[in-house]
Amino acid sequence: MSANYTSRKRHLIAGNWKMNGMLQEAEQFVHDLAENPAPDHIEVALMPPFTLLHPMAELLSEKDVRLGAQSVYCELKGAFTGSISPLMLRDAGCHYVIIGHSERRDIMGEANELISKKLNVAWNNGLEPILCVGEHLEERQDGETNSVLRQQLSVLEDAAQGVALTLAYEPVWAIGTGLTATPAQVTETHAFIHEELSRLGHDCRVLYGGSVKPDNAAELMACPGVEGALVGGASLQADSFSNIVQAAASVAGA
Ligand code: 13P
């Protein structure tokens, strides 16, 4: 593991709105967020539902906030009812796309084979994947965390080195539950993920996700190997999201 991996990239605070958000709420959110701009050393991104991508791109123009999507299909166009193409996401102004979120793995049954295809289609069409990995509670209790993460990260084995990539470690038991991994668990797990990433030739930024809130963000962001957060529930209100950005800024250093 390289010793200075934490300082290579700007920290990213990304808000995953999941299946939440109406147009009027998005307008208010962007208006309120603009009152508290992020410091230069913190990157901010929002992943609203697909219906809000085009209007959000417009609302966010002139603001230093990147746009991302929560998912993508692995084909460019055609008879795939209900799916969204990477070309459409680019057309809507997306930079990021979340791939492999545990809700898509567990609820929609997405597994490594499809996740690999999605990664490739994202890279081939100018999107930066935020690849999510994380173990279930029983897997952690059974001491299987590292083997689960290694298996999830194996989708990167055949990927070209140097591709645009952000990782997010989201322990499934911490998502939407109010439970967070302890700083010791976060530090240990991020170190393992960074080691695996180095071995696979993808020495990229690793975010933490799972009940990140304004009152725990600074402690989580201060853990070695944590280079930002993927925020769910607390990203739905501009003030709590801004407070997380400010907390991250205070520990990330300029
Ligand atoms: P919560 O912050 O609501 O736990 O969600 C985390 C998450 O799944 C972000 O992708």
Side-chain angles (χ1 to χ4, degrees):
M1 181 173 35
S2 69
N4 63 347
Y5 57 78
T6 52
S7 59
R8 251 192 356 266
K9 285 204 172 185
R10 271 209 302 170
H11 281 50
L12 168 64
I13 304 297
N16 173 11
W17 283 10
K18 307 192 180 183
M19 201 171 73
N20 298 288
M22 302 293 178
L23 181 56
Q24 209 182 347
E25 292 165 332
E27 286 165 353
Q28 187 66 45
F29 182 99
V30 173
H31 172 270
D32 294 348
L33 192 68
E35 293 187 351
N36 242 331
D40 280 350
H41 63 291
I42 299 287
E43 185 185 337
V44 176
L46 289 170
M47 287 88 197
F50 297 138
T51 49
L52 291 179
L53 289 174
H54 273 286
M56 287 282 272
E58 208 159 299
L59 291 167
L60 291 172
S61 70
E62 318 278 302
K63 315 239 175 355
D64 198 14
V65 176
R66 274 181 156 161
L67 192 62
Q70 299 172 20
S71 186
V72 65
Y73 193 55
C74 58
E75 298 285 346
L76 299 187
K77 62 188 281 195
F80 304 100
T81 302
S83 300
I84 193 130
S85 146
L87 300 176
M88 296 168 184
L89 299 184
R90 288 281 300 166
D91 192 44
C94 288
H95 174 88
Y96 292 111
V97 61
I98 296 173
I99 295 179
H101 193 282
S102 63
E103 286 149 18
R104 297 217 56 99
R105 293 178 193 263
D106 293 347
I107 304 171
M108 282 79 173
E110 296 189 4
N112 272 7
E113 193 185 350
L114 181 60
I115 290 170
S116 293
K117 287 184 185 166
K118 289 181 169 203
L119 287 170
N120 282 319
V121 86
W123 285 319
N124 291 338
N125 292 282
L127 293 164
E128 175 168 348
I130 300 181
L131 174 64
C132 299
V133 296
E135 80 288 358
H136 292 90
L137 186 57
E138 317 80 69
E139 293 163 340
R140 177 162 280 276
Q141 287 167 341
D142 292 346
E144 289 170 1
T145 299
N146 288 359
S147 60
V148 168
L149 296 175
R150 184 177 288 123
Q151 193 270 344
Q152 292 173 337
L153 289 167
S154 68
V155 293
L156 297 172
E157 261 160 22
D158 297 326
Q161 296 195 3
V163 285
L165 178 65
T166 290
L167 237 290
Y169 169 55
E170 298 204 304
V172 182
W173 48 272
I175 295 178
T177 59
L179 298 173
T180 44
T182 64
Q185 287 171 325
V186 172
T187 302
E188 187 185 12
T189 312
H190 276 243
F192 174 77
I193 292 171
H194 276 290
E195 243 169 62
E196 277 295 291
L197 287 170
S198 294
R199 190 179 66 73
L200 293 163
H202 299 285
D203 209 5
C204 68
R205 172 169 67 180
V206 182
L207 317 180
Y208 169 81
S211 296
V212 177
K213 309 281 178 213
D215 60 359
N216 62 21
E219 185 180 43
L220 290 163
M221 296 303 101
C223 296
V226 175
E227 292 123 340
L230 186 53
V231 185
S235 71
L236 295 172
Q237 306 297 332
D239 59 345
S240 61
F241 188 59
S242 280
N243 287 340
I244 291 171
V245 171
Q246 300 303 330
S250 69
V251 295

